[in-house]
Amino acid sequence: MPPFPIITLLTDFGTCDAYVGTMKGVIAGIAPGCLMVDLTHEVPRQATAVAAMLLGDALPFFPPGTIHLVVVDPGVGSARRAIAVETGAAVAVGPDNGCLTPAIDGAIRVVEIRDARLFRSPVSATFQGRDLFAPVAAHIARGTPVAALGPEIADPLRAALAAPHAEEGALIGEVAHVDRFGNLITTVRVVDLAGWPGVEVEVAGVKARGLAGSYHDGAGEAGASGGAAGVPRVRALIGSAGRLEIALPDGSAAELLGAGRGARIVVRKHEHD
Amino acid sequence: MPPFPIITLLTDFGTCDAYVGTMKGVIAGIAPGCLMVDLTHEVPRQATAVAAMLLGDALPFFPPGTIHLVVVDPGVGSARRAIAVETGAAVAVGPDNGCLTPAIDGAIRVVEIRDARLFRSPVSATFQGRDLFAPVAAHIARGTPVAALGPEIADPLRAALAAPHAEEGALIGEVAHVDRFGNLITTVRVVDLAGWPGVEVEVAGVKARGLAGSYHDGAGEAGASGGAAGVPRVRALIGSAGRLEIALPDGSAAELLGAGRGARIVVRKHEHD
Amino acid sequence: MPPFPIITLLTDFGTCDAYVGTMKGVIAGIAPGCLMVDLTHEVPRQATAVAAMLLGDALPFFPPGTIHLVVVDPGVGSARRAIAVETGAAVAVGPDNGCLTPAIDGAIRVVEIRDARLFRSPVSATFQGRDLFAPVAAHIARGTPVAALGPEIADPLRAALAAPHAEEGALIGEVAHVDRFGNLITTVRVVDLAGWPGVEVEVAGVKARGLAGSYHDGAGEAGASGGAAGVPRVRALIGSAGRLEIALPDGSAAELLGAGRGARIVVRKHEHD
C-alpha cells in the first residue's frame, strides 16, 4: 500500500452522532496509516444528486490513488447494489444510486461489490456504511484491486441533478446547493456558456448582468427586474468549481432573494454594455 | 508505541470554538503520529449518560489498543476525580462522572489519575480536557501504563441512563438520543427482547407492530392508537447498535411525533399477525 | 520535512460544503504525511478579529514547527496581500487582513507571498484558500522557507478587536465571542487586571462581584444591579485562555442576559468583601 493512502468521506450522517467516527474506527482497524479526510457530512438527507455534485467538485483536487467513500444511502437495507468505481486517478465506493456519478462518468471499470469476506459480519440492515462500505474502502487502500470485489456492471445509476436545458434561446438551470455564505450554486457550468458574448442571469425575479470576476468586483451586479428601485449588489459569477453562482458580497443571496435549492435560474445572452 | 495509536475524542464542546483543536495540538505535541478520530463533539451539554451511550455503541468498532478520551465534564474544577479505565481491548480516560460507564463495565483496572507530572502546568480550573485529559491520553498512547497513572479505585461512578424496567408485562424504556435523521434511539436493547414472540412499541400515543428489517421494510409500521386515521410509516426496528429505534423513512420520527430525549417508550409482547 | 508536520485550519467556511475537505486534498497531494487539525470552521462570516482571537488562544498549545492556515478572507479576489508570518515557534499563512495578528505580534519575519510557482494554476478569484493558501502551507510543511515566498513587509494589518480601555477608573471591554456553552468570552485579559484588589464585572445591567475559581465555585456570583431580586449564579471568572468570562453554570449566560458579541463589559475595582 502507498505510504499514506487517502480515504475521503462524504455522507448525510451529520456530526451529532458517532456514525462517522465509528466508520473511521473500522477503517483504521483494517488500514492503519490511512489519512481520512471529511468532505462533508451535511449533505441534505438522502440527496444523492447533491452528494454527486459535491464529489465531482472535489475530485480534481485530490492526489492520484485517493479513495472516495460516499454514503448517502436512502435505500440501505433494500436490494440496491453496492458498487466500486475505478477511474484512472481514483476509486469511489458507495451505493448504486447515483451518488458516485462524477466517478462513473470517468470510469474505466464499475463493479458490484459482492465479496462478503471483506465485510464486517453480520452486515447491519441500517448501517452499511460501517459494515460494508468502510471495510471495502479500507481493503482497497490496503491493495485489494477493484476488479476483485465482484463482477463488472454496465448499468450503474446516475444521479438526477438536471443538466440545464435550452428554452427560447435561454439556458434554464436551477440552484443545486446553497453554501454556508448563502451563495446560490447552480447547475449551470462555465462550459455551458462557452462562446456566449455576455450573460444576464435571472433568479427569483432579479436580474444580474455580466459576470463579476470575484465577490468584490462591481460587474455582474443586479438591478431589479422591471426597473424597480433595485436589489443592489447581488451578482453573478463563476465560482471556484466552475459553476455559475449568485452571490451577495457581505451577505446571503439566498436570504435576500428567498431562493434555495431547486430555484429556477434563467441565463440569457447579453452583449457587453 | 504502536505505529499508529488511535485516540478518539468525545465531548460536548461543539465545533464553533477551538477547544477541540487545542486538545489535538496538545496531543500531537506529546504523541506525534497518533491518529485522532472525532466521535462527536455535539453531546448535549453535560449529558454524561448520552456520552456513555455513544461511547458504548462505538467501542466495539475500534481496533485493540485504541484510547478513548471523553470530556463531558459538568464538574470541571470541582473535586470530582479524573480516571483511566483499562479493558482488555482499550483504554478510556475522562472525568469520574459516569461518562466512561461502558468501559468500566468491561474494566480490568480503574485508576484515579494523580501523576501531575503528566499534566500541563498550571492545570486550568475550567478546561482540564486540554491540561489534564489530553496529555494523559497522549502519554498512554506513547506507552505510559495505566497502572502508573495513580492508585486503583473500586468505586467509579456509572451513568444514570435508566435501564428499561418491566411493568405489567410490558417493558418501559425511554428515548436516549435523537439522531440526525430524527430516528428515536431508545434505551431498549435487542437483548432485552430476547425470546419475545413479537412486539408492539408505543411512543407518544402511536403504536407500531412488529420490527422492520430495515428503514424500507414494511413490517413494524404504525397505525394510530385508538383506531384513528393512522400515522403511516413510522416503524420500529433494531438499529445498528442493537437498540430499538423508532424511524420514519424519508422523514423525522422525532418531528412527526413531537417526541425527543426522555420520551417514554412502552414495548408490549405481541404475537406475529 | 519533520516526520509529522502539523497544519491547522481556521476558516469561516462552515462544514456544510466540501470547501475544507478540498483544501485538505490539495495539502495531502503536496505534503503527504501532514497531520491536519481543524481549529474551527465556524468563525462568524468574515470576522477577522474573531479569527485572530481564536488563533491567539490556540497558538501556545501546538508544538514548535506547526503551520497555521487561516482563511477568513472577505477581500478574496481583491488586491489584498497574501502573507506568511514566521515566529520563533510557528508559521501562520493567510490573507493580510488582521486575521494573523497574534502571530504578527510575535513575528521575526512577515513576507508577502508572491512566488506563484507554489500556487495551483489558475488561481480562482473566489477560493484562494484552495489555490494559494493551502498549497503554500503544504510547501512550507515540506521545507520551503518563509523567506523564499516573497519580499519582507513591514506593515501587515492587525485586526480590529478593540483592546479594553480605561474610563473613570473602570476598564471597558466587550464580548469577543460566545462559546458553545453560552459563556461570554471578553476582550479583557487577566494581565489587564494585574494588581487589582478585586473586581466587579457589569454586563447587560447585571453585576458579578469577585472572580470564581471555576464554573462551580460560589465566588464571583452576580446580584442584580439596583438591588432587585437577583440573577443568581451568573459569575465572572478567568477562562482557560486567560480571558475574563461571564458564565452561568448549567446554563447559557448569553441567553439569560440577552448579551452577545459586542456587548459592553465594565470592570470596576472592588475590595474583597
Side-chain angles (χ1 to χ4, degrees):
Chain A
M1 106 170 127
F4 299 99
I6 299 170
I7 297 180
T8 75
L9 297 98
L10 175 62
T11 78
D12 61 353
F13 292 167
T15 53
C16 292
D17 307 288
Y19 297 139
V20 171
T22 301
M23 288 172 62
K24 291 179 179 174
V26 170
I27 290 169
I30 294 168
C34 263
L35 174 67
M36 291 181 263
V37 174
D38 299 303
L39 290 185
T40 180
H41 302 292
E42 306 294 339
V43 172
R45 181 180 177 165
Q46 305 186 348
T48 51
V50 173
M53 186 196 72
L54 291 169
L55 175 65
D57 289 354
L59 270 178
F61 299 95
F62 281 83
T66 298
I67 297 152
H68 300 281
L69 176 52
V70 184
V71 191
V72 176
D73 194 10
V76 62
S78 75
R80 67 96 187 89
R81 297 177 294 193
I83 61 174
V85 181
E86 188 173 4
T87 72
V91 175
V93 172
D96 179 29
N97 61 18
C99 67
L100 305 183
T101 300
I104 292 168
D105 288 341
I108 55 179
R109 178 182 286 114
V110 182
V111 306
E112 182 180 354
I113 300 170
R114 286 224 196 125
D115 186 349
R117 292 171 303 177
L118 304 176
F119 309 161
R120 284 188 67 90
S121 176
V123 172
S124 158
T126 59
F127 192 9
Q128 300 193 354
R130 180 191 69 196
D131 297 337
L132 188 157
F133 295 113
V136 165
H139 281 290
I140 295 168
R142 281 191 60 153
T144 301
V146 169
L149 302 173
E152 279 201 49
I153 62 172
D155 58 347
L157 291 180
R158 281 175 164 81
L161 198 66
H165 65 278
E167 206 177 285
E168 297 178 12
L171 200 60
I172 312 296
E174 62 182 69
V175 173
H177 182 62
V178 179
D179 77 7
R180 193 217 179 184
F181 299 99
N183 298 325
L184 305 173
I185 319 287
T186 77
T187 54
V188 180
R189 303 198 51 134
V190 65
V191 294
D192 300 321
L193 304 175
W196 287 40
V199 302
E200 181 190 71
V201 180
E202 180 175 349
V203 54
V206 170
K207 293 175 180 171
R209 284 194 183 152
L211 293 173
S214 76
Y215 298 125
H216 295 274
D217 172 4
E221 284 200 11
S225 100
V231 181
R233 313 206 60 219
V234 172
R235 62 195 58 191
L237 74 166
I238 300 299
S240 60
R243 293 179 182 281
L244 182 71
E245 288 183 25
I246 316 296
L248 176 68
D250 311 320
S252 163
E255 227 168 80
L256 181 74
L257 301 176
R261 187 150 65 99
R264 175 185 166 100
I265 301 285
V266 183
V267 191
R268 296 187 186 86
K269 281 178 184 154
H270 185 82
E271 302 295 330
H272 287 297
D273 295 304
Chain B
M1 109 169 125
F4 300 100
I6 299 171
I7 297 180
T8 75
L9 297 99
L10 175 62
T11 77
D12 62 352
F13 292 167
T15 52
C16 293
D17 307 287
Y19 297 139
V20 172
T22 301
M23 289 173 61
K24 291 180 178 173
V26 169
I27 291 170
I30 295 168
C34 262
L35 174 67
M36 291 181 263
V37 174
D38 299 303
L39 291 184
T40 180
H41 302 292
E42 306 294 337
V43 172
R45 182 179 176 165
Q46 305 187 347
T48 51
V50 173
M53 186 195 73
L54 291 169
L55 175 66
D57 290 354
L59 269 178
F61 299 96
F62 281 82
T66 297
I67 298 153
H68 300 281
L69 176 52
V70 185
V71 191
V72 177
D73 194 9
V76 63
S78 74
R80 67 97 187 87
R81 298 178 293 195
I83 61 173
V85 182
E86 188 172 4
T87 73
V91 175
V93 173
D96 180 29
N97 60 18
C99 67
L100 305 183
T101 299
I104 293 168
D105 288 342
I108 56 179
R109 177 181 286 117
V110 182
V111 306
E112 182 181 352
I113 300 169
R114 287 225 197 124
D115 186 348
R117 292 170 303 177
L118 303 176
F119 309 162
R120 285 188 67 88
S121 176
V123 172
S124 158
T126 59
F127 191 9
Q128 300 193 355
R130 179 191 69 194
D131 296 336
L132 189 158
F133 294 114
V136 165
H139 281 290
I140 296 168
R142 281 192 59 152
T144 300
V146 169
L149 301 173
E152 279 201 48
I153 62 171
D155 58 347
L157 292 179
R158 282 175 165 80
L161 198 66
H165 64 278
E167 205 177 285
E168 297 178 12
L171 200 60
I172 313 296
E174 63 182 69
V175 174
H177 182 62
V178 178
D179 77 8
R180 193 217 179 183
F181 300 100
N183 298 323
L184 305 173
I185 319 287
T186 77
T187 54
V188 180
R189 303 199 50 134
V190 64
V191 294
D192 302 321
L193 305 174
W196 287 40
V199 301
E200 181 190 71
V201 180
E202 180 175 349
V203 55
V206 169
K207 293 174 180 172
R209 283 193 183 153
L211 292 174
S214 76
Y215 297 123
H216 296 273
D217 171 6
E221 284 200 13
S225 98
V231 181
R233 314 205 59 220
V234 172
R235 61 195 58 191
L237 74 164
I238 300 298
S240 60
R243 295 180 181 280
L244 183 70
E245 288 183 25
I246 317 297
L248 175 68
D250 311 320
S252 163
E255 225 168 82
L256 182 74
L257 302 174
R261 187 149 66 100
R264 177 184 165 100
I265 301 286
V266 183
V267 191
R268 297 186 186 86
K269 282 177 184 154
H270 185 83
E271 303 294 332
H272 288 297
D273 295 304
Chain C
M1 106 170 128
F4 300 99
I6 300 170
I7 296 179
T8 75
L9 297 98
L10 175 61
T11 77
D12 62 352
F13 292 166
T15 53
C16 293
D17 307 288
Y19 298 137
V20 172
T22 301
M23 288 172 62
K24 291 179 178 173
V26 169
I27 291 170
I30 294 167
C34 262
L35 174 66
M36 291 181 263
V37 174
D38 299 303
L39 291 184
T40 179
H41 302 292
E42 307 292 339
V43 172
R45 181 179 176 166
Q46 306 188 344
T48 50
V50 173
M53 186 195 73
L54 292 169
L55 174 66
D57 289 355
L59 269 178
F61 299 96
F62 281 82
T66 298
I67 297 152
H68 300 281
L69 176 52
V70 184
V71 190
V72 176
D73 194 9
V76 63
S78 74
R80 68 96 187 87
R81 298 177 293 194
I83 61 173
V85 181
E86 189 173 3
T87 72
V91 174
V93 172
D96 179 29
N97 59 18
C99 66
L100 305 183
T101 300
I104 293 169
D105 288 342
I108 56 178
R109 178 182 285 116
V110 183
V111 306
E112 183 182 352
I113 300 169
R114 287 225 195 123
D115 186 349
R117 292 170 302 178
L118 303 176
F119 309 162
R120 285 188 66 89
S121 176
V123 172
S124 158
T126 60
F127 191 8
Q128 300 193 355
R130 180 191 69 196
D131 297 335
L132 189 159
F133 295 113
V136 165
H139 281 290
I140 296 168
R142 281 190 61 151
T144 300
V146 168
L149 301 173
E152 279 201 51
I153 61 172
D155 58 347
L157 292 179
R158 282 175 163 81
L161 198 65
H165 65 278
E167 205 176 287
E168 297 177 11
L171 200 60
I172 313 296
E174 62 181 68
V175 173
H177 182 62
V178 179
D179 77 7
R180 193 215 180 184
F181 300 99
N183 298 324
L184 305 173
I185 319 288
T186 77
T187 53
V188 180
R189 304 197 51 132
V190 65
V191 294
D192 300 320
L193 305 173
W196 287 39
V199 301
E200 182 191 70
V201 179
E202 181 175 349
V203 55
V206 169
K207 293 175 180 172
R209 284 192 183 154
L211 292 173
S214 76
Y215 297 124
H216 297 272
D217 171 5
E221 285 200 11
S225 99
V231 181
R233 313 205 60 221
V234 172
R235 61 195 58 193
L237 74 165
I238 299 299
S240 59
R243 296 180 181 279
L244 182 71
E245 288 183 25
I246 316 296
L248 176 68
D250 311 321
S252 164
E255 225 168 83
L256 181 74
L257 301 176
R261 188 149 65 98
R264 176 185 166 97
I265 302 285
V266 183
V267 191
R268 296 187 186 84
K269 282 179 182 152
H270 185 83
E271 303 294 329
H272 289 297
D273 296 304

